Amino acid sequence: MDSVGFDLPARRTPLSAAAETGLKIVVVGGFGVGKTTLVHSVSEIRPLNTEEVMTQAGVGVDETSGVDGKTTTTVAFDFGRISLNERMVLYLFGAPGQKRFWFLWDRLFSGTLGAVVLVDTRRMDDSWYAIDRLEHHGTPFVVAVNRFDHDTTYSLDEIRQALALPPHVPMVDCDARVRTSSKNVLITLADHLRTMALAREATP
């Protein structure tokens, strides 16, 4: 998905001088699923991105079925920021989606509080690797289904079954182009992390 057409905040927020705690979140998923779009739509600063124009060199290397109209691609990572309050800041990293860049993921996961797995129902098989790597690292995550053009071909229950997700992993619908929708994904992740932390505290 090209990172255009999304809602932007009315103004860009400077980082508070009192900010002292940074929390790292990674957005992962397959090629063209909308990771760059989500980071752009929700960031309070102009996001850093490493988008490059796709060339003939990628033909036969990058699998583009279902995203034939895509003309650019992330080759390292996207970066955005959200201030939760004056002291706490959320840093967003969008991981590259092509298989040839997946070797970068393990480094991006280092120090990560949690992750969002963005799913495109046109290319659900691309979600397996993201889920596998997060489970391998023991990184908590939520799954967000990016409904391109309000696609409702599959229900959340059907997608959960297809991905073999356990019941405790939250799933939500979203439109990565819309800031309020992307914020809801991050709120869902924050709630999930808080629930897990409370459960650990309650364990004798």
Side-chain angles (χ1 to χ4, degrees):
M1 169 181 282
D2 294 332
S3 52
V4 295
F6 45 78
D7 294 343
L8 287 173
R11 61 187 178 86
R12 297 301 184 180
T13 306
L15 184 63
S16 169
E20 59 183 19
T21 303
L23 307 174
K24 180 181 178 183
I25 298 296
V26 175
V27 182
V28 294
F31 177 55
V33 74
K35 300 179 295 297
T36 295
T37 302
L38 187 147
V39 173
H40 276 239
S41 71
V42 79
S43 177
E44 67 188 17
I45 61 173
R46 182 174 297 280
L48 167 70
N49 67 62
T50 55
E51 288 275 291
E52 296 292 343
V53 175
M54 297 176 65
T55 66
Q56 285 296 114
V59 176
V61 178
D62 297 325
E63 174 55 53
T64 60
S65 60
V67 289
D68 303 314
K70 187 170 173 59
T71 59
T72 61
T73 183
T74 299
V75 297
F77 60 85
D78 302 300
F79 173 77
R81 188 193 78 204
I82 305 169
S83 296
L84 302 180
N85 53 45
E86 287 190 354
R87 294 182 177 274
M88 192 172 298
V89 181
L90 187 69
Y91 295 110
L92 286 174
F93 291 80
Q98 309 99 303
K99 291 182 180 179
R100 56 192 167 117
F101 295 127
W102 282 356
F103 70 92
L104 296 170
W105 287 18
D106 287 346
R107 291 191 177 184
L108 281 177
F109 292 161
S110 177
T112 297
L113 184 67
V116 173
V117 177
L118 205 55
V119 172
D120 180 350
T121 58
R122 299 170 300 179
R123 298 163 60 93
M124 275 197 289
D125 286 348
D126 289 353
S127 306
W128 283 106
Y129 184 78
I131 293 171
D132 178 72
R133 296 314 299 166
L134 290 169
E135 290 179 340
H136 173 76
H137 282 270
T139 303
F141 65 93
V142 300
V143 173
V145 181
N146 196 8
R147 298 291 189 179
F148 296 90
D149 299 320
H150 306 290
D151 172 45
T152 56
T153 305
Y154 302 99
S155 69
L156 289 182
D157 285 341
E158 289 172 321
I159 296 171
R160 180 182 293 277
Q161 184 174 1
L163 295 177
L165 284 179
H168 72 272
V169 176
M171 288 190 69
V172 292
D173 286 322
C174 77
D175 184 335
R177 300 166 295 186
V178 180
R179 188 167 195 254
T180 53
S181 183
S182 297
K183 284 177 64 177
N184 182 60
V185 172
L186 298 179
I187 290 170
T188 301
L189 176 59
D191 288 343
H192 180 49
L193 294 172
R194 180 174 181 273
T195 298
M196 293 181 65
L198 292 174
R200 286 195 297 269
E201 290 177 3
T203 302

